[in-house]
Amino acid sequence: MKAKFITVLVTFCLVLFSAITHAETVVSKEDADKVFAMTKPEWEAVAPGFSMEGWEAKSAQLPTGTVVQALNRANGYGLLIQPVYKDDTSIPEALIVSSLYPRGTMQELFADVKDKIEAEAQSDLGGAYTVSAQFILPNDNAEGVELTIKLKSK
């Protein structure tokens, strides 16, 4: 179960890379449902098992939950995945998925595709979720797209 979930999550995040310029699923409802069904301890049990062939992966514990980080040194792409928790017994308040690229790759393109990324993700996730995308500059060498996914309030 844990290994299969990690494989699904890897697929879900890699699709975000190609979704920047292609009409593909950004984040599937099935994957979001799985993440939003996990408590912090459940997520922390599967997060260290994250791996992708050709990528260096590691996890880091933060007060709001473990973040999974992956870097492909061959092309300079990176990936961050973090459900954000308020405590150990609740489901995540948000799921943040960031796709990172070498500096100079995304900034001009992002303005043109931001609405498309949000609309595609919202369509894929359906009415139970809200999604927003923003351009990020996490360090001197990278830039990227950060998706924030939340359950809609009832």
Side-chain angles (χ1 to χ4, degrees):
M1 162 75 176
K2 289 180 183 177
K4 183 178 180 188
F5 175 73
I6 292 297
T7 301
V8 170
L9 190 58
V10 168
T11 302
F12 132 117
C13 294
L14 287 176
V15 171
L16 179 59
F17 286 130
S18 61
I20 299 302
T21 57
H22 300 90
E24 295 185 33
T25 300
V26 176
V27 178
S28 77
K29 183 178 181 330
E30 179 183 357
D31 293 334
D33 288 346
K34 287 178 183 176
V35 173
F36 278 96
M38 291 183 170
T39 63
K40 185 176 172 185
E42 290 169 333
W43 169 252
E44 290 180 352
V46 298
F50 184 88
S51 66
M52 296 172 15
E53 188 174 331
W55 293 61
E56 296 174 21
K58 63 182 179 178
S59 60
Q61 289 193 327
L62 302 174
T64 56
T66 297
V67 61
V68 173
Q69 307 166 54
L71 175 64
N72 183 323
R73 292 201 184 275
N75 59 20
Y77 291 174
L79 176 66
L80 301 172
I81 307 163
Q82 185 194 8
V84 178
Y85 295 92
K86 67 178 179 181
D87 58 44
D88 286 353
T89 60
S90 301
I91 62 170
E93 294 183 328
L95 171 60
I96 299 172
V97 179
S98 302
S99 295
L100 305 176
Y101 307 90
R103 187 63 74 93
T105 306
M106 278 299 305
Q107 191 163 9
E108 290 182 26
L109 176 64
F110 182 72
D112 294 333
V113 297
K114 177 185 185 294
D115 291 342
K116 178 181 175 185
I117 292 168
E118 289 176 339
E120 288 179 5
Q122 188 65 65
S123 175
D124 293 336
L125 291 168
Y129 297 96
T130 62
V131 63
S132 63
Q134 68 176 356
F135 179 77
I136 57 171
L137 295 168
N139 61 46
D140 291 341
N141 300 315
E143 62 189 28
V145 176
E146 180 178 275
L147 285 182
T148 301
I149 303 160
K150 295 182 178 183
L151 280 171
K152 272 191 179 172
S153 301
K154 295 183 180 190

